[in-house]
Amino acid sequence: MCAGCSPPDDAGGGRSRSWTRRGAHFLIRFYQLTISGFIGRQCRYLPTCSEYTDEAISRHGLWAGFWIGLARILRCHPWSPTGYDPPPENLPKTYRWYAPWRAGVWTYRERS
């Protein structure tokens, strides 16, 4: 590893995640344990939208992960296809921090 490089917050197993990611994880987990139970299972994909967003935030950080999760939530509607749809392993080459919406897959046709 280079001298100026450092691994992400959650890399290395025992290292703690940043407080923003932990806060987002707490809010998502709170939703899963409380509000989600009243709404019922409505997600058309696996993993569920909340699990997808949680994983996207842990992989790509709060900023990009939020937009990836938002795109998935908006893509999950009665007329969308169903099935296994994991979060992306890497951010698209067109992603820029100042244009975070480029991280999300907004229509199912974009996934190939």
Side-chain angles (χ1 to χ4, degrees):
M1 182 181 306
C2 67
C5 299
S6 63
D9 307 9
D10 53 355
R15 297 180 62 136
S16 66
R17 299 188 298 181
S18 72
W19 67 271
T20 56
R21 289 185 191 187
R22 283 185 297 191
H25 174 73
F26 172 77
L27 290 174
I28 291 169
R29 194 69 186 133
F30 176 78
Y31 163 79
Q32 288 174 334
L33 295 173
T34 57
I35 300 167
S36 178
F38 293 112
I39 296 172
R41 179 153 165 76
Q42 304 294 326
C43 194
R44 302 179 56 79
Y45 298 106
L46 262 177
T48 64
C49 293
S50 58
E51 292 169 345
Y52 181 96
T53 304
D54 192 29
E55 189 172 339
I57 289 171
S58 68
R59 274 189 199 169
H60 304 296
L62 185 62
W63 186 242
F66 166 78
W67 286 92
I68 293 169
L70 179 64
R72 165 67 178 279
I73 291 166
L74 294 176
R75 200 171 67 221
C76 189
H77 53 77
W79 301 280
S80 69
T82 63
Y84 182 65
D85 180 31
E89 291 289 328
N90 301 310
L91 292 171
K93 293 180 189 212
T94 59
Y95 172 77
R96 302 289 181 268
W97 69 267
Y98 53 83
W101 55 87
R102 293 181 182 173
V105 177
W106 297 92
T107 63
Y108 196 78
R109 282 180 257 126
E110 291 179 40
R111 288 194 89 92
S112 343

